[in-house]
């Protein structure tokens, strides 16, 4: 049964004629939908953010190396901060280097990095808070972490999901527009 459906599908696709000009126009519009060319001010802002991330990574690395009096979990937290700052700087560098921002891939990568960083940090806060003598300070530390998690993690993720849904909708509308143009061309030929 599946083999018969595959053969039918192949025959149906082979019988369909695509206008290469319309297909190329569709591909260009989809590419323009996802790839946004960086303006000069945006490049400068991203370059400044790269410098801030590298400075932050250096500061956190100093805390890991020179902070001998810090508890192990605090040094682990600073180590996670180094990794996050360097990876975010690398993402921004790749965007500036190519000169465009991919709304689909780059946005997902940035939100994913923030999400993972926040989850690791909240987990570390909970572990540290559980080992503190002053439980009130430990609870305050976890609650502060959760506030930042909600602001940067959850709100960022929701905003990214809404943007991704909008992009998918626009892509589908372009696809429907292409199909209608192809059907119109077929009807005019007949």
């Amino acid at each position: 049964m599946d083999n018969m459906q595959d053969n039918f599908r192949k025959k149906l696709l082979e019988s369909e004629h695509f206008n290469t000009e319309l297909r190329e126009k569709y591909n260009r519009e989809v590419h323009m939908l996802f790839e946004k060319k960086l303006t000069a001010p945006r490049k400068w802002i991203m370059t400044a953010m790269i410098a801030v991330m590298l400075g932050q990574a250096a500061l956190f690395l100093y805390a890991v190396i020179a902070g001998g009096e810090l508890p192990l979990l605090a040094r682990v937290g600073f180590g996670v901060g180094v990794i996050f700052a360097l990876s975010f700087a690398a993402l921004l560098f790749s965007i500036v280097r190519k000169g465009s921002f991919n709304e689909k891939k780059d946005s997902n990568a940035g939100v994913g990095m923030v999400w993972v960083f926040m989850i690791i940090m909240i987990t570390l806060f909970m572990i540290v808070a559980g080992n503190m003598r002053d439980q009130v300070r430990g609870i305050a530390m976890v609650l502060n972490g959760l506030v930042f998690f909600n602001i940067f993690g959850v709100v960022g993720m929701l905003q990214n999901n809404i943007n991704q849904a909008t992009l998918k909708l626009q892509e589908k509308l372009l696809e429907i527009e292409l199909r209608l143009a192809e059907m119109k061309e077929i009807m005019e030929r007949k």
Side-chain angles (χ1 to χ4, degrees):
M1 185 72 172
D2 286 333
N3 192 24
M4 199 165 87
Q5 286 176 340
D6 287 339
N7 287 336
F8 178 72
R9 186 179 312 129
K10 285 179 186 176
K11 287 179 184 178
L12 189 61
L13 287 172
E14 288 171 0
S15 68
E16 190 171 4
H17 299 285
F18 293 110
N19 182 330
T20 55
E21 184 180 308
L22 287 174
R23 179 64 61 181
E24 287 173 9
K25 181 182 175 195
Y26 166 75
N27 288 335
R28 277 192 310 271
E29 288 187 28
V30 167
H31 179 75
M32 287 176 14
L33 179 68
F34 292 133
E35 288 288 329
K36 302 293 182 192
K37 191 151 178 69
L38 293 180
T39 61
R42 211 164 185 200
K43 279 185 182 180
W44 282 106
I45 290 170
M46 286 191 172
T47 304
M49 287 175 63
I50 292 170
V52 167
M53 288 291 133
L54 292 176
Q56 188 177 22
L59 182 66
F60 289 164
L61 185 61
Y62 177 77
V64 169
I65 294 170
E69 296 177 13
L70 287 174
L72 176 64
L73 288 175
R75 290 171 62 186
V76 168
F78 282 119
V80 170
V82 170
I83 294 169
F84 170 75
L86 290 177
S87 60
F88 205 76
L91 174 66
L92 292 173
F93 180 76
S94 71
I95 293 169
V96 170
R97 198 174 109 234
K98 71 181 175 180
S100 64
F101 179 78
N102 188 305
E103 294 274 349
K104 201 173 200 176
K105 294 177 186 172
D106 295 334
S107 179
N108 284 338
V111 169
M113 278 191 261
V114 170
W115 185 261
V116 168
F117 173 72
M118 295 305 292
I119 293 289
I120 292 171
M121 292 308 294
I122 291 296
T123 304
L124 285 173
F125 287 171
M126 288 179 179
I127 293 170
V128 169
N131 294 327
M132 290 179 77
R133 289 185 186 142
D134 187 358
Q135 292 294 314
V136 174
R137 288 182 71 185
I139 291 171
M141 183 174 66
V142 171
L143 288 177
N144 284 325
L146 287 173
V147 168
F148 282 104
F149 173 70
N150 285 324
I151 292 171
F152 295 112
V154 175
V155 172
M157 183 192 68
L158 289 174
Q159 182 181 8
N160 185 56
N161 286 348
I162 291 169
N163 289 340
Q164 294 301 314
T166 303
L167 287 172
K168 283 180 185 177
L169 177 65
Q170 289 174 335
E171 183 181 17
K172 284 296 178 189
L173 288 173
L174 285 173
E175 187 178 326
I176 290 169
E177 187 178 311
L178 170 70
R179 293 287 183 195
L180 287 173
E182 288 175 341
M183 288 172 53
K184 180 182 175 190
E185 184 178 293
I186 291 170
M187 297 290 280
E188 287 175 353
R189 272 192 253 147
K190 290 184 178 180

